[in-house]
Amino acid sequence: MASGVRNGGGGGVGGRMSGKVANATPKAAAGKPRLSAAGGGAYRRTSSGPLPSAGGGGGRASSESGVSSRVRVAVRLRPRNADELAADADFGDCVELQPELKRLKLRKNNWESETYEFDEVLTEFASQKRVYEVVAKPVVESVLEGYNGTVMAYGQTGTGKTFTLGRLGEEDTAARGIMVRAMEDILADITPETDTVSVSYLQLYMEMIQDLLDPVNDNIAIVEDPRTGDVSLPGATVVEVRDQKSFVDLLRIGEAHRVAANTKLNTESSRSHALLMVNVRRAVKGKHEMDVSISGENGHSSSMVGSLRPPIVRKSKLVVVDLAGSERIDKSGSEGHTLEEAKSINLSLSALGKCINALAENSPHVPVRDSKLTRLLKDSFGGTARTSLVVTIGPSPRHRGETTSTIMFGQRAMKVENMVKLKEEFDYKSLCRRLDIELDKLIAENERQRKYFDDEIERITAEAQLRVTEAEREYKISLENEKAKYHQEYLDSIKILEEKWKIHQQSPKKLIKETEPTSSEVGEVQNLLQNEKVLRQSAEDEANDLKNQAAATAEVVKLRKMLDTEASQKEKLDEEIAVLKSQLLQLSLDADETRRSLDRGDGSGKIFPGFDSLMSHSRNSQPREQSNGPKPPIAKLFEQVGLQKILSLLESEEPDVRVHAVKVVANLAAEEANQEKIVEAGGLTSLLMLLRSSEDETIRRVAAGAIANLAMNETNQDLIMAQGGVSLLSMTASDAEDPQTLRMVAGAIANLCGNDKLQTRLRGEGGIKALLGMVKCGHPDVLAQVARGIANFAKCESRAATQGNKVGKSLLIDDGALPWIVKNANNEAAPIRRHIELALCHLAQHEVNSKDIISEGALWELVRISRDCSREDIRMLAYRTLTSSPTLQSEMRRLRIEC
């Protein structure tokens, strides 16, 4: 029989199994417990101290010790095919399954049988989903946590190995195999911005490793690391996967290139071992991060927030192995080239069996080099991977020998122990890139500030010059006026003297007679001339004084001081940039030194020394509030001072007094017993006034927190609404930038959202818009409060609609909240996800919202919640919602979605 190439995922034994397996009832799958970690070991980090560092782009940081994990084995029975139904109609099955006891009985004859125990026993009615959950899902979860994992299928040809692992499920989604379902879970769990998933698809045919994604690459070499012993295939094609559709397309391409042939036992028998390798690279969040703030001498801080420790990444690998089926030549009827293929398959499977036997018996020598298959699976058996094996068998008594051999293979594999290890690495290249970007930002900011300072200096200089010019012009005008005044007086006096002189000329005798007895007129003229000289001199002195005063005004001195201050600030900023450059240079030198030490095999590499000094400086710079002595409790202070006195301090002119007073009121408002007293004494009004008038971020944050505490009482909620509290909270949310202030404001609005009577007023005063505006912050605490508020609002709307008090579409949908709800329905933070799931369920309970639910893609999230939500009450609420809505049911039938 000539060999061929497989051109699809169905047919053969897989096609014959699909009828019974795919139609199995959901109860048969849902009733089985998930595969526990018993026997597989609990997966955890084994080293309690810090991970050792490494240089380069990804230093190794994995622990040298590991956790023991036994290979888990499940057995799956294929239903009888058409040939067996006809040929073995008078004979019973050679095996009897006891799935509740996880046992299998192999009948020797009508009287004798042997019993074997496995980790899982799957009947012919077991669904593909059930098989995936008990066989592969624990391994996939371990891979997502940073461990290597292997899922492998072994059995006689035609027993359904390819159906179990590689079925694409394009015609029937319930028939999807382990490969497709595993990638669905991996893509659903990773973060696309920081994590990557890449795949390679290979086949081992006639002891040659061939690339199924690039058929031209038909003889890939195995490379083994001489230091660690790890096996890799650098010549294989590696494709990064972003979505499920592209992955299914890759599987379809690979299946089309896989070698298959028609034999007596299987119309589409795989003639090669297929290996799907999925490499997962995940960033570890929230580890070894710190904030660094460099403070200037003038009291201002130029914040440089970043991580000085290199980020940690976890690299893991999932290997899914679809082994070719073992066969007897006399039964399969192989001949010619097909016979050579069968010999190669049996030799590689025999070598794998020898390795399993050696590992099960703790033999000192394991013959892994007898076959390329055993070399590729070196890490899966006796290595560091968590391995799960499914052995497939048929019911026909004609193949009792092959069935017995398969069962014994599984029994021996259950004795193999692996030592799983967590693999983490330091990503120094990513850290250097981040620091380079931060340095570029600081340099650009310095250039912008320098240009701003230069422009400001030019503006101030021009303004000063303009003022000096204006002063000189005014003083010049004043001087001219004074000169004109004195000159006019001088001319008037000269005119008077000339008139007197003429009179004296007309009557000289009389003048002589009048002059002789007195010389007062001559003295008067001399005095007038002297006064004129004095006045002119004083005018000139006054003009000079005015010029000197204009040149030495205090404003010019102040401007010069400002120029000096700006210049000193520029020098300090240049010094900060120089320090940052030196730190980056030191970091690069230390990374190179660490890389060289690792290349020499020195495992004692340390994090660069500059980090320790920064850590100690950060710890020493923290305020020591404990040294100020014990403070009196709030309750004692409340009794000693009195509420009225504390509330009066809220109006103090000193900022520190107001801050301490509002903190005391907020602490008192946290206790329900004090809330009524605070409201009666006018505390609520005072807090709202602070929110309206204060510009201090601390006061607004603490006041919003106190209002949030008071808003937990229904009576207080009415008072807050009556005094315009929602408008003030919305205004605060639009102005605030501090995440903690936004969290307090969102908490207050979320408490108001839980009041049925305030729904319309709350929305009319901008409460919902304010909540949705705060999601731009992105802080998890703020998002949790926003999600809680939306959930409260949706719940109240649902209750009002059920009671007949509300008609029409949800106000949340009108305000555009539904896209954000859908986007965050599967948020990784549990508080956010729980509230969003509740809100989505309540919105979908009313038929008038169904069209929007469908158009925004929320139907898929509801289906996911009804299946996968960790809380049973939310999961049941989603299920009831989906089953009770005719519109949603119609859309689900159209999309062929099962609830």
Side-chain angles (χ1 to χ4, degrees), residues 45-52 288:
R45 284 274 304 276
T46 58
S47 59
S48 58
L51 292 171
H288 308 309

Side-chain angles (χ1 to χ4, degrees), residues 1-8 203 205 210 212 254-263 266-272 335 337-338 341:
M1 302 179 183
S3 300
V5 178
R6 182 189 306 273
N7 56 7
Q203 71 173 353
Y205 174 70
Q210 301 176 354
L212 292 176
E255 285 298 316
H257 294 143
R258 190 176 176 187
V259 180
N262 184 10
T263 67
N266 190 356
T267 58
E268 196 172 8
S269 175
S270 300
R271 313 309 291 171
S272 65
E335 58 185 13
H337 186 67
T338 307
E341 293 173 344

